[in-house]
Amino acid sequence: MNFASDNTAGIASAILDAMRSADQGFAPGYGADDLTRRVEERIAEVFQREVAVFLVPTGTAANALAIAHLSPSWGGVLCHAESHIAVDECGAPEFFGAGLKLIELPGVGAKIAPGVLRTALAQERRAPHSVVPSVLSLTQATEAGTVYALDELHALAEMAHAHGLAVHMDGARFGNALVRLGVTAADATWKAGVDVLSFGATKSGAMAAEAIVFFDPARAAGMGERRKRGGHLLSKHRFLAAQFDSYLRDDLWLALARHANDAADKLAARLAAAGFQPVWPVEANEVFVVLTGAADRKLRAAGAHYHPWSTNSLPADIAIGPDDVLVRLVTSFATSGAEIEIFAEIVAGC
C-alpha cells in the first residue's frame, strides 16, 4: 500500500525497454543524436506547433531554468504559496535566476484565483526600488491535486500578459491534468496563453526525464547555454530522449496518467463510502483526506505508506480533531486495485 508519491513507483516497462534499446553502440553526445531530434519533432506534433525543446533530468531543473530564462534577476515570480517552486525546490529558481524573488499568493486548493492575481498585479510598486513581477507560474495539476479549467487558464494568462508578465506552467503532472480535462495538449498550454511548459515524465513512469518547452522558439535564445552552465546538459543525452520517445509513442503518457487518475478516483470513492470525504476535489492522482488517529495508526501498522500534510491549507469549513491527521495519498501508473481495496477496508474498519 504505497501512496507516498508517484515518485516512489518504478519505471514503466516500455520506457525501461526503450532505454535498453538505446544502449546499443555509439551515438553523438549532448543531444546531437537522432533520437533527440525525433523526440523534439514528436513534442512539436503533440503541441501542434513549432517549439524549442530542452530535456533535463529533474523537475526542479526544468522549473528553475525555465523561470530563470523568463525573468530578469531583479524580477518577481508570482506563484501559489504551496507550489513546488515555493516549497520544495530549496531556492533553485532564485539560485538559477541570480536572485529573482518568488512572490507567494494564497488560494483554495492550491489554485490562484483571478481576483487574487488582479490584486497582486494592482499593488503599487516604485521602480527601481520594488521588485516588479515578470512571470506568473501556474502548477497543472496543482499540489492539492486540483486542475485549472481552460477558462481559468485563459483568464489568468490574459491578465498576466496585459501586465507584461510571461506565463510558466509547472507540468510535473501535466498528463494527469490533460486526461482529466479531456482536451488537447495545445488547448491546455499555448492556446490558453502559456509561454513555457515544464513538461514532466518522471512522475508518470519515466526514470528521470523532463522537457522545457518554449512555444515561441525565438524566446529560447541562449537556453542551451543556460542549461549547460546549470549542469543539466547530459553527455549521454540519448537516454533522456529514449524515455520521452517511449513516453509519447502511441500516447503511452496519457494511458499511464489515466491509470493513475482512475486509481485516485477509486480510492476516493472507497474512502468516501467509509465516511472519509476528500478535502479537495480529486481531479488528478492525489487524494487529500482527514484520517482519525486510530485509522492512521492502524494503516501504518499494516504497512501503508503516505505523507501527513499541513493543516494550514485546509478550507475553513473542514473540522479537524486533536488526534486527526490530514494526509496526502498519491496514486501512480503502478497502483493496483488490490492496494486500494486493502487500504479502504482498513479505514472502513476503524
Side-chain angles (χ1 to χ4, degrees), residues 23 75 84 90 105 131 173 224 313 322 328:
D23 189 25
H84 201 270
C90 199
L105 304 179
V131 170
R173 295 186 176 97
S313 58
R328 184 190 73 164

Side-chain angles (χ1 to χ4, degrees), residues 271 274 276 291 295 299 342-350:
L271 291 174
F276 295 85
L291 295 176
L299 284 164
I342 295 171
F343 190 96
E345 287 173 8
I346 293 173
V347 171
C350 294

Side-chain angles (χ1 to χ4, degrees), residues 69-102:
H69 203 73
L70 292 175
S71 176
S73 59
W74 57 88
V77 178
L78 300 178
C79 61
H80 195 278
E82 296 169 43
S83 64
H84 201 270
I85 63 172
V87 177
D88 288 308
E89 297 189 359
C90 199
E94 297 95 325
F95 175 77
F96 283 101
L100 63 79
K101 182 180 179 66
L102 298 185

Side-chain angles (χ1 to χ4, degrees), residues 34-108:
D34 292 339
L35 194 52
T36 295
R37 295 287 83 74
R38 188 164 76 198
V39 165
E40 292 170 346
E41 292 169 0
R42 178 60 183 137
I43 290 178
E45 292 171 1
V46 166
F47 290 97
Q48 302 172 34
R49 68 174 293 153
E50 182 183 0
V51 294
V53 178
F54 301 86
L55 303 186
V56 294
T58 73
T60 294
N63 287 336
L65 292 173
I67 288 170
H69 203 73
L70 292 175
S71 176
S73 59
W74 57 88
V77 178
L78 300 178
C79 61
H80 195 278
E82 296 169 43
S83 64
H84 201 270
I85 63 172
V87 177
D88 288 308
E89 297 189 359
C90 199
E94 297 95 325
F95 175 77
F96 283 101
L100 63 79
K101 182 180 179 66
L102 298 185
I103 303 172
E104 300 176 11
L105 304 179
V108 176

